[in-house]
Amino acid sequence: MPNAAARLIRQWRRLWVAPELGLLYHRRERRVRLLTSAMMIFMGVVWGLFFASKGLWLVVAMDATLFSFGLISLALTCLNQRQAANLVIFGSLLVIVIGNAVLLDPPTATVPRSTHLYLLALGVAALVAFRDDDPRLRYGVALSCLSAFVVLAATTANFVPGYALPDAIRVPGTWLQTLAATVMLILLVHVLLTDATERSELEAELVQALVLHQFELHYQPQVDARGQVLGAEALLRWQHPTRGLVMPGQFIDLAEQSGLIVPMGQWVLETACAQLQAWSQHPVRATWCLAVNISQRQFRQPDFVPQLLELLQRHSFSPSRLELELTETMLVEDMDDIKLKMLTLAAHGVTFSLDDFGTGYSSLSTLKRLPLNKLKIDQSFVADVLTEPNSAAIVRMVLALGSTMNLQVIAEGVETQEQHGFLLDNGCQQFQGYLFSRPVPVSGLEGWVEGLRAGLPGPVGGRV
């Protein structure tokens, strides 16, 4: 099977099953996109064949367009291009619905227009599909759908005479389309209300989790080319009283939007500093570094730097062992403020890494201006490094860039010996991923390392 097809199938399975990929909302949204894309393909084929049998080739052309955009949105969804898939779906459906309403379904004395009713459902669907996007995009798409509905509902003009479908087709179609549009609208309003309720309940549970100390840190080791442990990345987990261990993908987005990410992030930093202090008393772990992800909203807080410096003063360990991971998206806006904060913290010894590097947001001029110590190759490139030439080229480029700019480079998401071998052959010296260890509680990390020191074989034969 060609690599591209195999990759598409893997992405389909991840998106459809994906029990760990996010909130129930996100899984439901992905499934709705997959079903919508499949429905566009199915309806394009069925109606295309039906109208072809009637010799109505203009309608067949519209159905072929629907089929084509259904395929495109399906591919984008399987490749996890959420916003692009949404834009394709809504853009194509908006044009096709308006085109059908204007050309094929003009109101007459015997048959009212009905195709435009789908625009109401599309408007509500936009509020759901673009919930996590820029409000201008979310409400812009919704208002476009509703504005088109108002215009088509308020006028009886036949804008383009001569293309209307025969009444024998339009009369039963009016009943079917009105019923279908009404059912769609009811279902989408239900989804919107359910989503609002779920978000409200989850936000209340997050507040309670902070008060009751239900969060904990898990640690994924970072190793060098010989398998020696250099440190770990601290990853937040939520020990829910009824749902068990909850992954961050299931609550981080809401925490970011609600502002709860700020106190959560502060707790993570306090816990990380306490852990580094505890490790500093151990002869082996005293040199370990700990990487902590910092959210955009948290880093932008005016008191972020003073609070972190106060934490460093309260805990006795070398500040160079604390590594703050920033994402490329953080560097897009307010560069001067970010640079000033980074320089202030770097002056006190704190180090910085750029997470998910290679996703296309940062430029070389940006990297030169910031006091970065490390680049982290995005795991999506590592996953495809053996099967996708572009991913392999990007990985080589990042490694070469790190060498040129005197930056350390670490590859995350290393899962197989083959990936590890490729990275080693191309000069990578630091690694993180399931090949070595999953994220585990601190006792599990320390026990794993002690096992290595006792002579138990590690996944890559490394010793501490």
Side-chain angles (χ1 to χ4, degrees):
M1 180 182 293
N3 291 333
R7 184 183 180 192
L8 202 63
I9 291 174
R10 290 199 306 270
Q11 290 289 350
W12 173 282
R13 291 189 69 253
R14 289 173 187 169
L15 290 171
W16 187 262
V17 181
E20 77 284 4
L21 282 182
L23 283 168
L24 176 61
Y25 166 82
H26 291 105
R27 296 198 297 271
R28 182 170 62 227
E29 185 200 15
R30 288 186 179 97
R31 293 179 179 181
V32 167
R33 272 202 309 277
L34 289 171
L35 289 174
T36 301
S37 302
M39 186 62 67
M40 290 169 68
I41 295 171
F42 175 76
M43 295 300 291
V45 171
V46 171
W47 286 115
L49 292 174
F50 172 77
F51 286 112
S53 68
K54 303 292 185 181
L56 299 169
W57 300 109
L58 177 61
V59 187
V60 173
M62 290 187 176
D63 290 326
T65 302
L66 182 67
F67 172 83
S68 301
F69 280 110
L71 282 178
I72 294 172
S73 61
L74 178 63
L76 290 171
T77 300
C78 290
L79 294 173
N80 208 24
Q81 300 295 317
R82 181 189 66 83
Q83 188 181 88
N86 283 339
L87 289 173
V88 168
I89 289 173
F90 282 88
S92 60
L93 289 179
L94 184 59
V95 171
I96 290 170
V97 169
I98 292 176
N100 272 278
V102 171
L103 294 176
L104 310 175
D105 191 27
T108 65
T110 55
V111 185
R113 177 183 280 135
S114 59
T115 309
H116 68 296
L117 296 175
Y118 289 109
L119 294 169
L120 281 175
L122 275 178
V124 175
L127 297 176
V128 178
F130 294 100
R131 186 197 68 173
D132 293 329
D133 294 299
D134 190 316
R136 292 172 294 182
L137 176 61
R138 183 187 188 195
Y139 293 108
V141 175
L143 287 174
S144 296
C145 295
L146 298 178
S147 298
F149 168 80
V150 170
V151 171
L152 292 171
T155 181
T156 59
N158 185 350
F159 298 103
V160 188
Y163 291 96
L165 294 175
D167 284 356
I169 295 177
R170 292 187 62 209
V171 170
T174 297
W175 286 94
L176 289 174
Q177 294 194 124
T178 302
L179 177 62
T182 302
V183 170
M184 287 176 59
L185 183 61
I186 292 173
L187 291 176
L188 286 165
V189 169
H190 171 73
V191 169
L192 196 62
L193 292 175
T194 301
D195 178 54
T197 301
E198 288 177 352
R199 286 168 63 84
S200 178
E201 292 175 351
L202 181 60
E203 186 173 342
E205 288 184 341
L206 285 175
V207 173
Q208 187 177 38
L210 280 168
V211 174
L212 299 180
H213 307 290
Q214 294 174 357
F215 292 112
E216 59 186 50
L217 288 185
H218 283 201
Y219 302 85
Q220 187 170 36
Q222 298 176 339
V223 304
D224 65 12
R226 296 175 297 170
Q228 293 181 326
V229 177
L230 302 172
E233 178 180 2
L235 298 165
L236 185 63
R237 299 292 185 263
W238 179 9
Q239 191 62 54
H240 195 279
T242 58
R243 285 184 280 172
L245 198 64
V246 182
M247 297 295 104
Q250 297 178 268
F251 59 86
I252 286 296
D253 285 347
L254 179 58
E256 184 82 36
Q257 295 164 17
S258 64
L260 290 172
I261 194 68
V262 176
M264 286 169 56
Q266 183 64 21
W267 177 86
V268 169
L269 283 173
E270 291 177 358
T271 306
C273 288
Q275 186 59 62
L276 282 170
Q277 178 172 300
W279 283 344
S280 68
Q281 308 303 314
H282 192 277
V284 173
R285 304 163 198 158
T287 59
W288 286 3
C289 296
L290 189 56
V292 177
N293 292 278
I294 303 298
S295 76
Q296 185 172 14
R297 189 162 186 170
Q298 181 186 6
F299 197 74
R300 286 183 173 179
Q301 296 299 307
D303 57 353
F304 175 79
V305 170
Q307 285 186 345
L308 181 53
L309 293 179
E310 192 272 333
L311 276 178
L312 295 176
Q313 290 178 351
R314 281 198 286 116
H315 295 85
S316 56
F317 64 88
S318 173
S320 62
R321 293 169 53 214
L322 176 63
E323 178 184 302
L324 302 185
E325 287 194 3
L326 310 181
T327 62
E328 285 196 87
T329 53
M330 293 175 61
L331 308 182
V332 178
E333 299 178 2
D334 206 0
M335 173 60 69
D336 291 337
D337 180 64
I338 291 174
K339 181 181 177 181
L340 178 60
K341 289 179 177 178
M342 291 179 68
L343 288 172
T344 303
L345 292 172
H348 288 79
V350 177
T351 61
F352 292 90
S353 66
L354 192 58
D355 197 10
D356 300 334
F357 184 71
T359 53
Y361 289 98
S362 59
S363 63
L364 293 181
S365 61
T366 298
L367 297 184
K368 288 173 58 178
R369 294 172 56 191
L370 299 177
L372 290 168
N373 305 90
K374 184 184 295 185
L375 302 178
K376 200 167 192 180
I377 303 175
D378 184 67
Q379 60 184 340
S380 63
F381 300 124
V382 175
D384 296 329
V385 75
L386 300 175
T387 58
E388 176 56 52
N390 289 335
S391 293
I394 290 172
V395 169
R396 292 190 184 99
M397 179 274 295
V398 175
L399 290 169
L401 180 64
S403 177
T404 301
M405 300 185 66
N406 198 29
L407 296 173
Q408 299 177 38
V409 178
I410 183 171
E412 66 175 343
V414 182
E415 297 185 355
T416 68
Q417 291 282 3
E418 291 75 16
Q419 292 169 353
H420 182 251
F422 175 92
L423 292 163
L424 271 176
D425 292 341
N426 284 276
C428 189
Q429 296 297 309
Q430 296 187 23
F431 311 88
Q432 176 182 340
Y434 285 2
L435 176 62
F436 311 98
S437 173
R438 293 175 177 269
V440 292
V442 65
S443 58
L445 172 65
E446 294 171 350
W448 177 72
V449 173
E450 290 302 318
L452 290 179
R453 297 188 69 224
L456 298 177
V460 293
R463 300 291 183 86
V464 177

